[in-house]
Every structure is written in C-alpha cells, then in structure tokens.
Amino acid sequence: MAKELSLAENLPALGNHYVWFKNELNKIVWSGLNAPETKCLNVVLSSYYEVLKEDSQAQSVLITFDDMRKRLNYTHNRVNIMNYVKSIRTKLMGWHEFTLNDVETSFVLIPTINIDRKHKFFRFVFNPDLTRLLLFDRENGEFVRYPERAIINLNSVTSMTLYRLLKGFRTTGIAIFTKDGQAGKTKDDPDRPGLWDLLEVKSSMRESDFNKRYLKPAMIDLAPYFHSLDFKKKYAVIKGHRAVTGYVFTFTKEAPDQNENLFGDKLKQHKEAGQRQHHYRRSGI
C-alpha cells in the first residue's frame, strides 16, 4: 500500500489549481449536490489530482480548514464548511452504481471522510478501483480539465454542471447530448445519460420552462468561459408531434495543452458591463 503523505506534503500551494478527471466521471449524474457542495467537491478533486501527480498510488488527500475556506472564497467565519463536507459525505453514498462498456459497477467514490477538529483538516480517502476507472490513469482515457476557480466563480449548479460537461469536449469544440436517458443510448456513446438527466431536470418539465429556468441562464453565465458559445436543438417527430430530442453546443476549440487564464480582463469586463444578453440559434439539425 502506498504511504500516506504528510499534511505538509499533501497540500498543494494556493494558486491556479486544476480539476482533472477522466471523461467517464462526466457520464455519472453528480446527484443531489447543491452549489456550495459542488464547489467543495471540485476542490477535493483538484487537491487529489495534485497528490496523484506525485504519487499515482496515493489513496487520500488532506485539506486544512483554512485552505478549503480560502479556495471556496468563503472569507468570513459565519460559513461552516464542515456542514458542506458532512453533506457531501452523505450524498456521495447515493452515487452507488453506473454502467460503462456494458459493465455495471456499484461503488462509493470517497468511502471515508474524516474531519479532524483538533488539527483542523479534512481527510478524504478515495476508492482505489474508482480512482483508476474515473479519475486518473497514466495509460488510458480522455481527460476533462478545467481551472478550479471557474467553478468557484459560478453560482448555480446548472451552470457548474454544464461548464464541466462542455469541458469534456474542449479540444473538439462540439458537444452533442440527447435530451433524456432513454434517447441517450446511442451507438457512439451508449453510456452517457441525457442532458436532462445530467442536469437533474424532471422529465415532466416543459421545454419552454427548461429554456427559461436552466438553459438560458447557464448559457449567459458560461459565455465568458467559452469563445463563440452557442447551441442548436435537434428535433424529431414523435407520436405525430415535432419534439426536441437533443442539444448540440458549439464553441471555439482549445489546444490540448492550452494554459487557460479565465480570470483576466474579459471576465471582469463581462461582469462590470452586466451583459445579460446572449443570442441563440434554435434551428434543428
């Protein structure tokens, strides 16, 4: 078993942290997490990746209370980050199964989370089998990579989720999703759930309400992070009616080794100007 790194060795310095995991993790619904919990989990994944770069057999990561608070941008003490970590521990237990390549797997990604109040740090212990399958494998897999601070700067779970999903296609600039899980069983990617499943949208919701409450606000939020971001809807005739069956997002693709700086003048100007308009194409393809 790999040695557990000391607290000092196990903590990456504050700065430009990156979340990095295999595309397979984007095929799992990150079920039940609210915005603070989603941000917290991204900090954990980013920290664990920093440890894995030094020791690919490492199974745990330590994060001090102060480091977690700073990276979540919670500078006042009224925010109890321990409550977020506790709720993550409960909700991760619900991520109990998924299917990849026609193989069903039951799992808990982080089976142990310790909260050390005396020494003021969290210890997250990862499932080693899931680490290789979903997070880190030097030999195999396509990877999702994005700056941790991008998630921290977003406010809604929908925007965070869509950002993460689109980053899975950052080197191609085109992301195609079916609407729901049933339609999501395609030949090209039979394991990926539909967009509504991934965003945890109720199937009973009307398309117009989905546009208003989920899609349009998220597109506005993500405009500073993707050059030329846009989308189209895919249509088909179902039971005699024209219905939406999927979504195609497009944006300027990135170089595989692009060093993203998303927090400079462009984002600042976007926020200061209060640009809350985005033009969408809704033609079928």
Side-chain angles (χ1 to χ4, degrees), residues 269-284:
Q269 292 171 0
H270 177 85
K271 290 184 175 180
E272 290 178 348
Q275 297 174 354
R276 308 303 294 174
Q277 298 297 321
H278 192 82
H279 298 288
Y280 306 117
R281 297 194 303 269
R282 292 197 171 91
S283 57

Side-chain angles (χ1 to χ4, degrees), residues 3-19:
K3 70 181 182 69
E4 182 173 332
L5 302 182
S6 69
L7 181 62
E9 292 174 322
N10 216 356
L11 292 175
L14 288 174
N16 292 324
H17 303 284
Y18 276 79
V19 182

Side-chain angles (χ1 to χ4, degrees), residues 16-20 45-46 49-50 145-148 259-260:
N16 292 324
H17 303 284
Y18 276 79
V19 182
W20 192 304
L45 292 175
S46 173
Y49 172 67
E50 293 290 337
R145 180 177 71 89
Y146 54 83
E148 173 190 295
N259 183 20
E260 301 146 307

Side-chain angles (χ1 to χ4, degrees), residues 78-130:
R78 288 177 296 175
V79 176
N80 191 338
I81 56 174
M82 284 189 288
N83 288 340
Y84 297 145
V85 173
K86 288 179 182 178
S87 60
I88 285 175
R89 180 167 55 187
T90 300
K91 292 179 180 179
L92 286 181
M93 294 298 175
W95 299 16
H96 54 80
E97 63 182 30
F98 67 96
T99 302
L100 289 176
N101 301 321
D102 292 326
V103 177
E104 294 185 8
T105 302
S106 298
F107 76 101
V108 177
L109 180 61
I110 308 177
T112 302
I113 299 177
N114 302 127
I115 301 175
D116 190 325
R117 292 178 175 84
K118 179 179 179 180
H119 299 97
K120 297 184 178 181
F121 68 83
F122 304 104
R123 178 174 179 261
F124 301 87
V125 181
F126 283 74
N127 181 321
D129 292 330
L130 270 297

Side-chain angles (χ1 to χ4, degrees), residues 42-102:
N42 274 270
V43 171
V44 174
L45 292 175
S46 173
S47 300
Y48 187 44
Y49 172 67
E50 293 290 337
V51 172
L52 287 173
K53 286 195 299 184
E54 301 298 326
D55 179 3
S56 62
Q57 301 301 313
Q59 296 181 15
S60 66
V61 62
L62 306 178
I63 307 175
T64 66
F65 291 1
D66 285 343
D67 190 25
M68 180 71 82
R69 185 182 300 278
K70 289 176 182 178
R71 288 166 67 174
L72 291 172
N73 200 27
Y74 294 146
T75 56
H76 51 81
N77 292 325
R78 288 177 296 175
V79 176
N80 191 338
I81 56 174
M82 284 189 288
N83 288 340
Y84 297 145
V85 173
K86 288 179 182 178
S87 60
I88 285 175
R89 180 167 55 187
T90 300
K91 292 179 180 179
L92 286 181
M93 294 298 175
W95 299 16
H96 54 80
E97 63 182 30
F98 67 96
T99 302
L100 289 176
N101 301 321
D102 292 326

